[in-house]
Amino acid sequence: MSAQNRIKGHGQLSLAKTINFTFDGTTYQGLEGDTLASALLANGVHLAGRSFKYHRPRGILSAGPEEPNALVNIARDSTRSQPNIRATVQELYDGLTAESQNRWPSLAFDFSAINDGLAPFFPAGFYYKTFKWPPKAWDKLYEPIIRAAAGLGKSPAEADPDRYANRYAHCDVLIAGGGIAGLTAALAAAKAGKKIILCDENPNFGGAILYDNALEIDGLSATEWVEKAVAELAALENVRLLTRTTAFGYYAQNFVALAERVTEHMAEPDPALPRERLWQVRAKEVILATGAIERHLVFADNDRPGIMLASAAQKYLNQYGVAIGANVGVFTACDSAWAAAFDLKKAGVNIAAIVDLRDNPPLELQEKAQTCGIRILRGYTVTKTSGRLRVQSISVQPINGGTVEQIRVDALLNSAGWTPSVHLFSQSRGKLKWHQDRDLFLPDIYVQDCISIGACNGTFDENELIAEAQAAGNATRKKAKAIRIENQSSWAGNAIGAAPGAGPSDNVKAFVDFQNDVTAKDIRLAVREGMHSIEHVKRFTTTGMATDQGKLSNMHGLAIAAEQLGKNLPDVGLTTFRAPYTPVTFSTIANHARGPLFDPTRKTPMHQWAVDKGAVFEDVGPWKRAWYFPKAGEDMHAAVNRECVAVRKKAGIFDATTLGKIEITGPDAAEFLNRLYTNPWTKLGVGRCRYGIMCREDGFIYDDGVIGRITDDRFHVTTTTGGAPRVMNHMEDYLQTEFTDLDVHLTSTSEQWAVIAVQGPLAREIIEPLVEGIDLSHEAMPHMSVREGKICGVPTRLFRMSFTGEMGFEINVPADYGESVWQAVYAQGEPRGLTPYGTEAMHVLRAEKGYIIVGQDTDGTVTPHDAGLSWAIGKAKPDFVGKRGMRRPDLVAEGRRQLVGLRTKNPKVVLEEGAQIVATPGQTVPPAIPPAIPMKMIGFVTSSYWSEALGHSIALALVEDGHSLEGDTLYVPMEDRTIEVEVSGCVFYDLDGGRLNGKN
Amino acid sequence: MLLIHCPYCEEERPEVEFAGAGEAHIDRPKDMNAMSDAEFEKFFFIRDNPKGVNYERWRHIHGCGRFFNAARDTVSDKFLTTYKSGEKKPEVATQKPVQGAKK
Amino acid sequence: MAKIKMAKARPPHEGRRFANSAISIEQALPASRISLRAGSNELAELTKPLGFKLPSKPGTSKTKSGLSALWLGPDEWLLINNDPQAISKLMENLDAVKCSNVDISHRNTAIIISGKAAEDVLNSGCPRDLSLDAFPPGFCSRTLFGKIEIILWRLSENSFHIEVWRSYSEYLWTFLLDASKDAG
């Protein structure tokens, strides 16, 4: 199709650059530089969408980010499909494919438009009132229906294949908005040598003056002046210019978020480019030059396609060369719509009439209209419009009453005046003030180092605006060079609230909020029903809650509510402006943090070896740990059983690198440990180790681990894998702020060492040939000792310790050597049955021995006594963290949950971890079938495994007064049965611990 | 994201480098064992949580690693001042915003 | 006893590098590293084993004869010696004076990023002001990059040394490569 509404000689686009695009299956032609909206209008397409609630046909209302109607779905391919794109900001590219939304089966015939006929049944608050009772209907009936009907657009089903980027940036001055005010401020600030970021949401700088054909600046046309200003700025090193970049959030301390759309306008984006980039800017000063948004008038049937903001029509004509109709009416309360009418007239469009609500619009406008032969209706209002899919006529009437006249039009411009865009100022926590004389909310109290200039500050006069912008950009320097302004047009004139003819006594649909279908009547109803604050009115009617966030509707809604309440407008309150200013994709906010960068994945130096051996991994915090090493045909159960047996009978090799390690040095290191751990440390000899428990001040177990004394003033502390960072923080806290008398330093060495645990009866003979300088004999190196020497020629800290109950060693080597030493040990041991085992076997082996895992068998409310670890408390020590806490009344009371072993009566049954425990049979899991006895939980299972070594299941559990229940029978009710268990001690295997010394 | 002045690094750093660590100026008693249960409760569990100036501990955990103290206005979220741990609690008043643009 | 076969070191990302017209990223060679902790009274004593006065101004560093000292905190420095074998001698010298010295040669690994887009690429994940005024050559600091902690050390106008715990280096590489795609 050809673009019949494109007028030769108008606009700033090159007619030569024609591109194709598709809307709802029809292919059209547009020009490079078009928006989707301007291209549709060039082809005479006004109907662009359906409204949310009533499914009324809607046209393109605006030419900017405030667009409430023309929301479309744009799909580059099946994975790149994005709903709710505003056609007015989407730049056209060759091959762009757009679909209208919220209609079925087609935009011209939408089945749900029946809602419009049923409108009397859908008043404000309809959903709140209707879907109330009975409660059961919510799940089955109301929610499914509402969910199906609700929502704008469809989200894509596949993962987003594009990449998104982030950039932190710092500058002296951030200028949001690159219209005449922003550009002037930027020029002034740049010349003062400041580091500047200037951003604008549009593809080009210039803002509203780009479509002001009359304006002359320093003898240049507006477009020439903008071009010169931008060229000047672009040449400066201290200036960063960002177009297609919306400042959407203003946070504390001049931290401003910008969303840059990098490739949205490209037909074939370079895959190296991110689709969007988030800028997180910290600015010493912020200059807000965000302009103003023209409001629509609230009159009957003001939502028909073809009814458009006057400034939008002017922009389509002067920037894109598109006439929005051939016979256009104008309905206004503001001077600027007259200028739009004159431009259209000059381009050959018939202006059917200018209907002005004011009795006395400026004389020079009236004279000019008369000169052009335009009919003027002063003190008139529009009472009605007609036309289903496109406006066909308007009915006009004097405001004071009188004859109604119908005027045929194919488009209607309208303007209620301009609302300063104070969104970012308001987000900065600045306070607005109502200016009664001008019907404007303007910035008043600033709480951050920022300043508003130009239209967003209510400064519409270009001369004043230039002075304001120059002062803002270059406050400290002498007066900047004057800029000469000629032929500026006026933005004066305001109407807020419903226009005459849509007042309280009129039963018409005069839309306030187009996207959410809120009419003046709805707002009045909300007030009548008791919503007296604008916050309540907003939530009850949903005005201002659509994706456009009330950019057009907020002031009208406020005025109508104020009128209905009989209050002054500022007394009704103003809803809070929140980020984002315009919708921002989740991907932009997530940016790099997707896939492998969502969260760091930590791997040990031996990871690849385990991968090569076919290990299955589990996530332990950020770490990948080998869970088990299945052989061909083995399931997890079989693999774990085999690994456990190997450790008990021969030897196993285990990667313990992830354990936290802290080097504690200094003359007071032992005393520091005395205060931080429950155990005594002073007498621990050099070369010996001890199992330590760390509590918080409240007396509960916080962490545990084995600590070795390397020299008098140097300890090697281990922590749990997950506890490493918080233990370090806890220690630093006490060291820096409480125990400042101690000469101690802490260094994390978690990743300095790779740790290879070799456990089992053959452990010693396997590693012995590789070790130099250490006597491994039982006498020279007994259980719980540590030696320094060499293994495979590299330095090692060799621990004789065990988390399996078998004789074992933990070989610490500098991490770069971890893999190589592991391979050497494995090569040495494999012929003798050395078996790699994973974390699951490790869990089974330690549970057979009743060794706790902090965080699994404890939950932050378990004391060392509860866990059966009273032996680890240094009772002679005068103080340690947690000592006083342990004497708290609740911690010494009876009935505390204590750690016990459980054996199922049927040895084959393995309990579920987390299962609840009761004292008597017959108690069942809710929902209980009468006459069952309700459950009284006395504890729960913390660890549970099948023990191949013992031939029966084992479990650990926290049970009320459990230590006194040994031998008693308890019950574990499950959904389908109740399991009988017997309470035992926590140690199941090798009760006297002889195997630690290579006996039994 | 706030900027927080680290008294040890002597400059403002992004908030993400820091971790909050609760109310400041609560000293661990020299003789913990002499505390009554009520005293322990007050020491360990009870916090002021004022509206207005709050004295609190922060750690520059992803910076110099030091714990320090701050006075922060819990209404405006503003850090009024920061100072090294061990230093005396400074007197600070909440700041009122200024009417009218600065320029 | 049979001769023990010497274990082989396998540093993370050995030899890994990436370059385009605006950026070059490479894994630094293995080095000796010591976490040095000392109080203000002990500083004078340290001059002898180190061969220079420790920098005491926040964020500053000092390099002499292949040994660098980076101020990380009021009582904390990171010592880096480009010679991986230098560690034992240095540890020995430090053992002789009052300080805390812990070998962290294998805990950390380092990536060098250089080129005209280095600052921008780093600012994709690091929230700090990396302009030359705020972060001049020689300046160093522990900070964050995305979700991990790093030590950032500016070597020259367009070149940075990033220290990172070894298991986080994969994340760092992946992020830097992602951010470098459109650098320049």
Side-chain angles (χ1 to χ4, degrees), chain A residues 777-811:
Chain A
S777 69
H778 181 67
E779 294 65 33
M781 193 178 176
H783 180 55
M784 295 306 263
S785 56
V786 57
R787 298 287 180 270
E788 288 186 296
K790 283 192 166 179
I791 186 161
C792 302
V794 300
T796 180
R797 278 183 187 172
L798 183 63
F799 284 76
R800 167 92 191 271
M801 56 180 280
S802 174
F803 198 46
T804 58
E806 299 299 324
M807 178 185 69
F809 295 87
E810 291 197 358
I811 304 161

Side-chain angles (χ1 to χ4, degrees), chain A residues 163-170 195 240 271-274 277 591-593 596-603 605 608 622-623 663 665 667 714 732 743 745-753 768-772 791-794 814-817 819-821, chain C residues 1-2 4-12 30 35 37-39 42 75 91 95 98-108 119-131 147-148 165-168 170-172 174-175 177-182:
Chain A
R163 60 179 286 266
Y164 298 80
N166 175 62
R167 183 78 57 81
Y168 292 98
H170 293 74
K195 195 174 162 189
R240 195 192 283 272
L273 291 176
R277 180 184 281 114
N591 54 74
H592 298 281
L597 293 175
F598 176 67
D599 226 12
T601 299
R602 306 177 71 179
K603 292 172 184 168
Q608 191 54 45
W623 287 103
E663 189 105 328
T665 59
R714 190 178 287 260
E732 278 289 352
D743 186 356
H745 287 290
L746 312 172
T747 306
S748 171
T749 49
S750 298
E751 296 223 47
Q752 167 69 13
W753 304 105
E768 204 155 31
L770 304 173
V771 175
E772 290 169 279
I791 186 161
C792 302
V794 300
D816 283 357
Y817 297 109
E819 189 180 29
S820 180
V821 173
Chain C
M1 199 171 81
I4 296 167
K5 201 174 145 208
M6 173 81 182
K8 256 179 60 189
R10 187 165 162 189
S35 170
R37 310 290 298 272
E42 286 125 48
D75 67 348
M91 283 293 278
D95 280 341
K98 194 170 177 306
C99 70
S100 161
N101 51 323
V102 176
D103 180 359
I104 51 164
S105 308
H106 294 243
R107 182 189 79 177
N108 290 11
E119 204 178 296
D120 283 349
V121 168
L122 284 169
N123 267 143
S124 64
C126 177
R128 294 282 289 277
D129 182 355
L130 301 180
S131 64
K147 297 183 180 179
I148 62 168
W165 285 15
R166 62 184 298 131
S167 72
Y168 289 118
E170 179 65 43
Y171 175 92
L172 182 59
T174 310
F175 201 142
L177 292 178
D178 192 38
S180 296
K181 275 185 185 149
D182 61 311

Side-chain angles (χ1 to χ4, degrees), chain A residues 522-764:
Chain A
D522 290 327
I523 290 173
R524 292 188 194 107
L525 176 69
V527 172
R528 282 205 306 277
E529 296 200 350
M531 314 299 145
H532 289 183
S533 144
I534 195 64
E535 295 289 353
H536 292 152
V537 171
K538 172 178 167 178
R539 280 156 187 80
F540 193 70
T541 61
T542 72
T543 185
M545 286 169 71
T547 56
D548 59 325
Q549 288 286 287
K551 289 186 178 63
L552 298 166
S553 64
N554 276 351
M555 291 305 300
H556 287 315
L558 198 53
I560 295 165
E563 186 190 21
Q564 186 74 17
L565 285 162
K567 283 187 181 174
N568 287 325
L569 187 139
D571 298 335
V572 182
L574 187 65
T575 57
T576 311
F577 294 94
R578 297 188 196 282
Y581 171 68
T582 49
V584 176
T585 62
F586 280 117
S587 310
T588 301
I589 292 165
N591 54 74
H592 298 281
R594 308 168 69 210
L597 293 175
F598 176 67
D599 226 12
T601 299
R602 306 177 71 179
K603 292 172 184 168
T604 73
M606 289 83 91
H607 183 86
Q608 191 54 45
W609 188 93
V611 170
D612 296 342
K613 278 279 178 241
V616 176
F617 290 85
E618 70 166 337
D619 290 337
V620 181
W623 287 103
K624 291 279 173 207
R625 299 196 72 180
W627 195 11
Y628 57 97
F629 292 81
K631 289 193 167 174
E634 272 184 345
D635 62 4
M636 177 174 172
H637 187 67
V640 170
N641 286 347
R642 176 181 49 74
E643 290 169 19
C644 288
V645 168
V647 174
R648 295 266 179 249
K649 295 249 163 79
K650 289 175 178 162
I653 183 168
F654 175 73
D655 183 354
T657 303
T658 64
L659 284 186
K661 299 162 213 74
I662 299 168
E663 189 105 328
I664 301 192
T665 59
D668 299 323
E671 176 56 20
F672 180 70
L673 289 171
N674 278 338
R675 298 192 199 177
L676 265 293
Y677 283 81
T678 63
N679 326 55
W681 299 94
T682 315
K683 287 182 186 160
L684 184 73
V686 170
R688 296 310 305 258
C689 310
R690 182 167 290 162
Y691 168 75
I693 297 172
M694 172 180 273
C695 285
R696 294 184 310 185
E697 211 66 82
D698 56 13
F700 295 135
I701 296 175
Y702 192 53
D703 203 71
D704 67 351
V706 169
I707 299 171
R709 191 166 201 164
I710 306 299
T711 64
D712 259 343
D713 58 0
R714 190 178 287 260
F715 287 81
H716 180 118
V717 174
T718 65
T719 74
T720 57
T721 295
R726 64 180 154 82
V727 169
M728 187 73 180
N729 190 60
H730 177 82
M731 285 182 171
E732 278 289 352
D733 194 347
Y734 277 96
L735 187 57
Q736 289 183 33
T737 68
E738 295 293 350
F739 304 144
T740 51
D741 56 317
L742 300 182
D743 186 356
V744 172
H745 287 290
L746 312 172
T747 306
S748 171
T749 49
S750 298
E751 296 223 47
Q752 167 69 13
W753 304 105
V755 184
I756 303 159
V758 182
Q759 301 275 312
L762 303 182
R764 182 189 289 122

Side-chain angles (χ1 to χ4, degrees), chain A residues 803 840 842-848 850-858 899-904 910-915 917 940-946 953-958 986 988:
Chain A
F803 198 46
E840 187 63 20
M842 178 270 280
H843 275 102
V844 177
L845 294 163
R846 65 89 202 176
E848 288 172 345
Y851 298 147
I852 65 162
I853 288 186
V854 171
Q856 175 161 347
D857 302 300
T858 71
L899 195 71
V900 295
L902 295 181
R903 283 190 61 173
T904 50
V910 182
L911 295 170
E912 271 185 36
E913 287 177 358
I917 298 163
F940 60 93
V941 177
T942 60
S943 294
S944 175
Y945 310 94
W946 170 256
S953 74
I954 55 168
L956 298 172
L958 284 165
C986 291
F988 298 94

Side-chain angles (χ1 to χ4, degrees), chain A residues 170-175 189 192-197 238 254 281-287 449, chain C residues 133:
Chain A
H170 293 74
C171 63
D172 296 318
V173 188
L174 169 71
I175 303 168
K194 291 177 182 167
K195 195 174 162 189
I196 296 170
I197 296 176
N238 54 331
N254 273 355
V281 179
R282 179 80 64 181
K284 291 200 179 82
E285 293 171 70
V286 173
I287 296 177
D449 205 346
Chain C
D133 293 340

